[in-house]
Amino acid sequence: MEPQSVLVRSKTAPFGFGFTGCGKLSLRHINKHLQGHSINPICHSHQTQEPLKTQSDFPFYPKPLSFSSKRARTHFLTPLNCSISNATSPDSQNPLLKPLKNLSFDSLKDNLLKLTPYDIVKWSAVLSVSVAAAKWTLNGLFNPFFWMYFSWTWMFWPWILAAAVAVYGLYCFRKYSRGEANIFEQLAVVTSAFTWLTLVPPAHFNGFLEGWPFVFFFAYHYFFFFNVSVRKRLYGDYYLRPHDPKWDVNPPRWCRLLFCVGVMVGHWLAAFEGPELHRIGGGWSNVGIWVMILVTLLMQYNSTLYLAKYSEKVVVPTAVVQFGPYRWVRHPIYASTMLLFVGYCISLRAPLALLFVVAVCLWYYEQKAKLEEALMVETFGESYVEYASKVRYKFIPFVY
């Protein structure tokens, strides 16, 4: 089948283009386009500009038809040399999409586990400034009366979702107690516990969630996953290593159960005692709470890191740690946990709940600290006795 051709005449510069079965189009000067009885395009690469081919370059082509004109023509336009091909060039792809090619769940997980508290503080500051700027812009664009009656930061609490999270968390905890829970199920256990600690109580007494409950929900997650980040930093993964079970020091089971119940009651008491969420002041009145949160996170991270440096398999100590937060108190990890609960009570303006939670934590950690210190004296002898005489306070500097 002969190719179809279309000629476009112009007083300035005649052009022609033709279509063939190769699925390509060629647009060029007509004197270089017509070839014998058939018109075939000469395909060129659109990546480089090549000069037009002459008859000597293609000796197997028949002689081109000659056209004579009585009047000389002046060509003001450069003959076009272009082609359309079905092939896709790598250079024609969008460069903005190249970073997405290497994006995967494993790489994202590795990057998240490498984050340090300083990175979290830095990106949290950037996010806070961005959110504040965006909210200020929206408040200026929309009617201010709209924001008085409805806030986009409020979330009306769905009790069905809370119950579903609790049921699934108990199911995963049952598997975890038998050693069958995978990583996602272990995360579900922690998320379920923190949901019923920080989100459900204020939502029950207010009907919606706003402000500090959200902040502490994520702060609790980050706080209790520091051990995972330390294992990732030391070993390249987050799995526990086999160790001597004598270092698994825990009070009796009834004592641990009573501690968990006391912490839960303390959080519910804070939500009941505190004012409605929209009545809690904002702005500079919360600077002290933010400082307390940062101190808590940094204390827990540094305590875990220093302890792991002088321990075998993270759990078994090989020396008496006297650096970092251990210069001020003998049990800084327990102290940071108490400080986290205290920060939640202060943010909700609940002083009675604060005293209750501190009393529960001191009662439980006092028993656990006695067992651990007895084991440290048995293992390291005078070294730990000398350290205990130098650092007299267990949990609270200059107080207890």
Side-chain angles (χ1 to χ4, degrees):
M1 178 177 179
E2 293 185 358
Q4 299 175 352
S5 63
V6 180
L7 302 181
V8 181
R9 300 184 61 87
S10 172
K11 293 183 178 181
T12 304
F15 294 94
F17 61 92
F19 294 89
T20 66
C22 64
K24 300 181 179 180
L25 178 146
S26 178
L27 180 64
R28 49 191 310 184
H29 195 274
I30 193 170
N31 289 337
K32 299 293 183 179
H33 193 81
L34 296 176
Q35 303 289 339
H37 298 287
S38 64
I39 303 175
N40 292 317
I42 302 175
C43 300
H44 299 275
S45 173
H46 57 275
Q47 298 179 357
T48 57
Q49 293 288 340
E50 296 181 0
L52 296 176
K53 305 299 182 179
T54 60
Q55 177 65 23
S56 59
D57 297 323
F58 300 91
F60 50 89
Y61 271 27
K63 284 188 176 183
L65 297 177
S66 60
F67 288 80
S68 60
S69 176
K70 296 182 180 180
R71 48 186 299 187
R73 302 181 183 216
T74 304
H75 301 288
F76 296 98
L77 298 178
T78 306
L80 297 180
N81 181 20
C82 66
S83 62
I84 298 177
S85 174
N86 293 329
T88 304
S89 173
D91 298 335
S92 63
Q93 297 178 359
N94 191 348
L96 298 177
L97 300 179
K98 290 182 178 180
L100 299 178
K101 290 183 177 180
N102 299 326
L103 185 62
S104 63
F105 177 76
D106 293 335
S107 63
L108 180 61
K109 181 178 66 175
D110 293 339
N111 292 331
L112 290 177
L113 291 176
K114 291 178 182 177
L115 290 178
T116 65
Y118 306 100
D119 296 331
I120 296 296
V121 171
K122 178 180 66 176
W123 288 112
S124 298
V126 173
L127 181 61
S128 300
V129 173
S130 303
V131 171
K135 189 173 182 179
W136 179 83
T137 303
L138 290 176
N139 280 321
L141 293 177
F142 292 95
N143 190 341
F145 292 101
F146 174 80
W147 299 99
M148 290 177 60
Y149 296 106
F150 180 83
S151 174
W152 288 74
T153 59
W154 290 9
M155 184 181 81
F156 290 87
W157 183 252
W159 272 102
I160 298 178
L161 178 60
V165 170
V167 171
Y168 185 68
L170 291 174
Y171 166 75
C172 295
F173 180 76
R174 181 172 176 269
K175 294 186 65 176
Y176 173 76
S177 62
R178 297 184 300 180
E180 301 175 356
N182 56 29
I183 300 173
F184 178 80
E185 290 169 340
Q186 295 176 35
L187 180 61
V189 173
V190 178
T191 302
S192 176
F194 294 159
T195 298
W196 281 81
L197 275 179
T198 62
L199 297 182
V200 175
H204 172 69
F205 293 109
N206 289 268
F208 61 89
L209 287 177
E210 183 183 33
W212 286 115
F214 286 117
V215 173
F216 278 92
F217 176 76
F218 292 105
Y220 277 36
H221 272 82
Y222 190 61
F223 179 88
F224 283 97
F225 276 94
F226 274 130
N227 289 331
V228 175
S229 64
V230 169
R231 287 191 180 92
K232 179 69 176 180
R233 180 172 176 177
L234 294 179
Y235 303 120
D237 56 47
Y238 40 80
Y239 296 105
L240 289 171
R241 264 53 181 184
H243 61 275
D244 191 347
K246 79 172 184 177
W247 291 100
D248 295 333
V249 178
N250 284 309
R253 180 173 297 180
W254 67 267
C255 187
R256 285 178 283 165
L257 180 61
L258 194 59
F259 170 72
C260 294
V261 172
V263 171
M264 178 69 74
V265 171
H267 283 73
W268 276 81
L269 180 61
F272 172 76
E273 179 187 0
E276 296 180 358
L277 292 177
H278 67 277
R279 296 182 181 274
I280 297 177
W284 291 101
S285 63
N286 294 317
V287 172
I289 301 176
W290 281 109
V291 172
M292 184 181 298
I293 294 174
L294 296 179
V295 170
T296 301
L297 296 179
L298 294 176
M299 179 187 295
Q300 212 276 349
Y301 178 79
N302 288 328
S303 302
T304 306
L305 186 61
Y306 275 104
L307 185 63
K309 285 183 177 179
Y310 294 92
S311 301
E312 181 183 356
K313 302 172 183 177
V314 180
V315 180
V316 181
T318 57
V320 179
V321 183
Q322 306 181 33
F323 307 100
Y326 290 90
R327 293 176 295 176
W328 305 312
V329 291
R330 300 201 297 268
H331 303 278
I333 295 179
Y334 301 153
S336 62
T337 305
M338 286 190 289
L339 191 61
L340 182 66
F341 297 155
V342 167
Y344 181 81
C345 295
I346 293 178
S347 67
L348 295 186
R349 277 58 171 176
L352 295 179
L354 184 152
L355 295 176
F356 178 80
V357 169
V358 170
V360 171
C361 290
L362 288 177
W363 167 76
Y364 175 74
Y365 288 132
E366 175 67 24
Q367 300 183 57
K368 194 168 184 178
K370 286 182 179 179
L371 297 175
E372 290 183 354
E373 289 184 353
L375 187 58
M376 292 292 289
V377 171
E378 178 186 344
T379 304
F380 299 104
E382 289 297 326
S383 298
Y384 191 81
V385 173
E386 181 181 355
Y387 166 73
S389 62
K390 185 188 304 182
V391 181
R392 296 182 299 166
Y393 304 103
K394 292 183 179 181
F395 308 113
I396 307 174
F398 309 108
V399 177
Y400 182 77

